[in-house]
Amino acid sequence: MEISTFEPISMVFSDSAAAKVRGLIEEEENKNLKLRVFVTGGGCSGFEYGFTFDEDVEEDDTQIENSGVGLLIDALSYQYLAGSVIDYKEDLQGSRFTVENPNATSTCGCGNSFSL
């Protein structure tokens, strides 16, 4: 008889995203802030990524830490974001938090909207 164990699919909170979050927390002078990433319906591809700062950790949140700063994902959003890389990029399009989502079957040009 074979026994299998469930291993949750991990997410990556990149060093550059953590560094940017740390800088923003220092600007706000509130060490309780964490970056919350979430998924909502809408956008040109069906779902849209959102980012906000939050002091409150809910019971069903997944919390990922990097370099002493936290990333929060609610249970509903986690199912769409499992396996993703949360990053921070600065390029010709500007500076922004990004999601590299292996679950997305298509994305729009802006990178903020996706479909499964």
Side-chain angles (χ1 to χ4, degrees), residues 103-114:
N103 305 306
T105 57
S106 66
T107 59
C108 67
C110 68
N112 288 333
S113 182
F114 70 102

Side-chain angles (χ1 to χ4, degrees), residues 4-87:
S4 61
T5 57
F6 172 74
E7 295 256 347
I9 299 172
S10 64
M11 292 181 57
V12 175
F13 181 27
S14 77
D15 292 343
S16 62
K20 184 60 178 180
V21 169
R22 177 184 300 290
L24 293 170
I25 288 171
E26 288 171 0
E27 283 179 26
E28 291 295 318
E29 299 177 355
N30 182 349
K31 294 182 184 208
N32 296 320
L33 290 175
K34 295 164 184 50
L35 179 66
R36 180 177 291 282
V37 61
F38 56 92
V39 172
T40 60
C44 46
S45 293
F47 294 100
E48 195 167 25
Y49 302 115
F51 297 92
T52 188
F53 279 96
D54 200 339
E55 290 182 290
D56 300 322
V57 178
E58 303 299 327
E59 189 176 304
D60 65 347
D61 282 343
T62 296
Q63 186 168 332
I64 301 170
E65 201 167 295
N66 183 348
S67 304
V69 295
L71 173 74
L72 302 173
I73 307 103
D74 64 88
L76 182 62
S77 297
Y78 189 87
Q79 65 185 336
Y80 298 110
L81 294 169
S84 294
V85 175
I86 309 304
D87 200 4

